[in-house]
Amino acid sequence: MVVLLNAQYPILMKYIQLSLLLLLVFSCSLSKKSTITLTYPSKNPISMQQGSAKIDPVGFEKEAAPLAIDSFQIEGATLRIYYTSTTALENFELVGSPNIAKSFPPIRACKILASPKPSNKASKNNDQQLELGILAFDIKPLANKMIAESPIYLQIEGIAEKILFVYPK
C-alpha cells in the first residue's frame, strides 16, 4: 500500500495544484455585475447645474423631481448631487421644510424640485434615455441657526442617510 501511495502522490499533487490555480483564476475574474459597475456611467454627465436652496412651506408640499440620486458630496456649504433621470430637467431647487425635528442636531426634511425642459417633438425618441447630471446647491439657507459651527441634519428625499451640515465659519 505504501508503494501505491508513493506512485500516486505526484498525480494527486498535480490535481490539487490545478484545482487551486483554477480557483484563483475564477475568483479574480470580473463578474458581469462588476463589469457593469465599472463601465457606469456610459454617457458623460452634463455640466454641473447650479440650483437654489430655500425654506419654503408651499414648495415643500409639491411633488419631488423624478430623479434618482446616485451619490452626493458635501464640501463646506456646497452640496453636490449626482443623479440620473429619464426626463430632461431644469430650474432645480432644494426646498426644506420649515418644521424641524427637535433633536440634537435637529433634522430638516428636504426635497429636490425641478421643471421639465421643453423638448423638440422631432428629436423625441420612443425609448427613454437616462439623463446624467450634477447639481450644486449652496445649503446655507437650510441651516437651523446662522451661527458658525451650528449643526443640522438634512434628510433629502431620495437619499437614504441623513447629511450632517455644519454651518461654516
Side-chain angles (χ1 to χ4, degrees):
M1 180 136 175
V2 173
V3 175
L4 186 62
L5 277 177
N6 284 339
Q8 291 178 345
Y9 184 73
I11 296 171
L12 182 64
M13 287 306 293
K14 287 182 182 178
Y15 281 122
I16 291 174
Q17 288 175 345
L18 181 64
S19 299
L20 289 175
L21 182 65
L22 286 173
L23 180 67
L24 179 68
V25 167
F26 284 117
S27 66
C28 293
S29 67
L30 294 174
S31 67
K32 184 176 182 177
K33 182 179 178 184
S34 63
T35 56
I36 290 171
T37 305
L38 290 175
T39 58
Y40 178 82
S42 59
K43 181 180 171 186
N44 290 334
I46 58 175
S47 63
M48 187 179 306
Q49 298 180 22
Q50 287 292 113
S52 62
K54 62 183 176 182
I55 297 172
D56 183 13
V58 176
F60 189 73
E61 297 299 321
K62 294 180 183 176
E63 189 175 335
L67 54 86
I69 298 172
D70 298 327
S71 63
F72 66 91
Q73 176 183 11
I74 187 165
E75 291 178 10
T78 303
L79 174 67
R80 285 189 187 85
I81 296 178
Y82 301 85
Y83 73 93
T84 54
S85 176
T86 54
T87 59
L89 301 169
E90 63 183 359
N91 302 328
F92 290 93
E93 292 181 336
L94 181 61
V95 178
S97 170
N99 304 325
I100 59 170
K102 298 292 182 185
S103 63
F104 187 76
I107 303 168
R108 184 179 308 278
C110 301
K111 288 182 181 179
I112 298 175
L113 304 178
S115 58
K117 277 186 183 176
S119 62
N120 265 342
K121 302 267 188 210
S123 67
K124 199 171 191 178
N125 293 340
N126 290 338
D127 58 332
Q128 292 184 353
Q129 294 202 353
L130 290 179
E131 294 287 328
L132 305 173
I134 305 170
L135 302 173
F137 295 103
D138 179 17
I139 54 176
K140 286 181 188 175
L142 299 176
N144 184 31
K145 299 175 184 174
M146 307 295 180
I147 300 171
E149 298 183 6
S150 174
I152 189 168
Y153 278 120
L154 301 176
Q155 181 66 59
I156 299 175
E157 190 174 308
I159 300 178
E161 65 262 19
K162 296 179 273 195
I163 301 170
L164 178 64
F165 170 59
V166 179
Y167 198 84
K169 294 179 182 179

